[in-house]
Amino acid sequence: MKKQQNKKQMIYDYAKVIIGATLVALSYNIFLLPSKLAAGGISGVSTILYEMYDLSPAYTQFLINIPIFVIGWLTLGKDFSGKTLVGTFWVPFIIFLSADFPYTITNPLLGTIYGGIILGIGLGIVYKGNGSTGGTAAIAQIVKKFTGLSSGYSQLIVDGIVVISSIIVFNLELTLFALMCIYITSKVIDMVQLQTSSTKLILIITEEEEKIQSIIRDGIDRGLTKVRSVGGYSNKSKSMILCVAEQTEAVYLKRILQQEAPTSFVVFINASEILGRGFSLDKYYGQKL
């Protein structure tokens, strides 16, 4: 049973790498290359070489990725390297297939915004599959491993070096657009990986424990955790109730608490990826995933 689950997870991870790598390649051909944005990484290098010598970006990326893949294999392990191998071949392959895509964006601002978003989504999906698209994305993962930085900031540092050097070929305006693009990409990568926008951690400090408990259970049908606490000002015993809820549930709970328990002290915090029943697992026991 465990082997089947591991096999299923491996297939799922490789599917993430392929889907994400496809988005990475399309963002390059539709937005970045036509807008002349050397938005970091090997793609940025291939954009510069294409502008200077008219070299095929697909072949350029493939050839440069080979030595970087060897470094990733030695540093990050065989499992990572297997997925990186898929990404390394898949990105230039899709770039080659979509080279004559009829719909492209040449406006640098639009290329920066939409290219950065799609590139970030693609890389974020690849990283969630514990893989890489090769190139400096693999270097960014190495930086993440040894420095503890997030994937987004690791990508920002590595790509920033490439973008700044592109000013030799492109003008300052395009270089600044490229810097904006990699910043957007880094933020989207972290958003995709952490899923920060959809859930709230709610902390409620109250003397009306049973009432609040009933509101949460009956109002939004969520579980909760109670922590015994003492008020720092009053020195009275209170309960701190922790609850995680979706965005819409949190808005509803806020309104009910303001009406039914206005004296309670309530804090709403943006939560990162939530693991557990009701989020990564089914809400009720006995259900199949």
Side-chain angles (χ1 to χ4, degrees):
M1 184 67 179
K2 189 174 181 180
K3 289 183 178 180
Q4 290 180 344
Q5 290 178 342
N6 290 338
K7 185 177 180 180
K8 184 178 179 181
Q9 183 61 47
M10 183 179 294
I11 294 172
Y12 189 44
D13 286 345
Y14 273 92
K16 287 180 181 177
V17 172
I18 291 173
I19 293 170
T22 300
L23 290 176
V24 169
L26 292 177
S27 71
Y28 179 79
N29 266 349
I30 296 173
F31 297 100
L32 303 183
L33 183 62
S35 301
K36 298 184 179 181
L37 296 174
I42 300 305
S43 66
V45 174
S46 65
T47 300
I48 294 171
L49 294 177
Y50 178 77
E51 181 71 14
M52 294 176 65
Y53 306 111
D54 200 30
L55 297 177
S56 168
Y59 291 120
T60 300
Q61 292 187 36
F62 177 78
L63 292 174
I64 296 176
N65 272 330
I66 293 175
I68 295 177
F69 170 77
V70 174
I71 295 172
W73 177 69
L74 294 174
T75 307
L76 300 174
K78 294 180 180 179
D79 182 58
F80 180 91
S81 296
K83 295 166 189 173
T84 301
L85 182 62
V86 173
T88 300
F89 278 103
W90 196 258
V91 171
F93 176 65
I94 297 299
I95 288 176
F96 175 77
L97 290 182
S98 60
D100 298 322
F101 195 80
Y103 303 104
T104 58
I105 301 298
T106 57
N107 183 294
L109 180 59
L110 293 178
T112 295
I113 296 172
Y114 291 101
I117 290 172
I118 295 176
L119 179 60
I121 292 172
L123 288 174
I125 293 172
V126 170
Y127 292 163
K128 287 191 75 172
N130 196 32
S132 168
T133 57
T136 56
I139 297 176
Q141 290 296 81
I142 296 171
V143 172
K144 174 186 174 183
K145 179 178 179 179
F146 290 105
T147 64
L149 295 173
S150 70
S151 296
Y153 280 111
S154 299
Q155 193 76 39
L156 183 63
I157 292 170
V158 174
D159 288 348
I161 296 172
V162 176
V163 173
I164 292 172
S165 64
S166 71
I167 197 172
I168 299 171
V169 177
F170 299 105
N171 58 45
L172 179 60
E173 184 177 280
L174 288 175
T175 301
L176 293 176
F177 274 124
L179 285 171
M180 286 175 57
C181 182
I182 65 169
Y183 179 78
I184 292 170
T185 298
S186 70
K187 292 299 181 182
V188 174
I189 288 172
D190 288 341
M191 186 178 294
V192 171
Q193 287 197 291
L194 299 176
Q195 301 173 357
T196 57
S197 60
S198 61
T199 53
K200 298 287 183 181
L201 170 62
I202 306 164
L203 306 178
I204 307 169
I205 300 174
T206 182
E207 296 177 355
E208 303 176 273
E209 178 183 325
E210 296 300 325
K211 187 175 184 179
I212 300 298
Q213 184 171 302
S214 177
I215 290 172
I216 293 174
R217 287 180 175 174
D218 299 336
I220 62 174
D221 192 23
R222 286 291 180 185
L224 54 91
T225 299
K226 296 183 286 187
V227 180
R228 302 303 174 191
S229 58
V230 178
Y233 179 78
S234 64
N235 285 323
K236 292 182 179 180
S237 296
K238 298 184 178 183
S239 293
M240 182 169 66
I241 297 175
L242 288 78
C243 175
V244 178
E246 299 287 351
Q247 181 77 29
T248 54
E249 296 170 339
V251 172
Y252 174 80
L253 182 60
K254 176 183 176 181
R255 185 171 68 250
I256 298 301
L257 289 174
Q258 287 175 326
Q259 295 172 356
E260 302 294 333
T263 60
S264 298
F265 187 80
V266 186
V267 180
F268 292 85
I269 303 172
N270 288 327
S272 295
E273 187 171 4
I274 307 301
L275 305 178
R277 196 159 297 282
F279 294 92
S280 62
L281 300 175
D282 286 308
K283 194 169 186 178
Y284 304 107
Y285 290 88
Q287 291 182 334
K288 293 182 179 180
L289 290 175

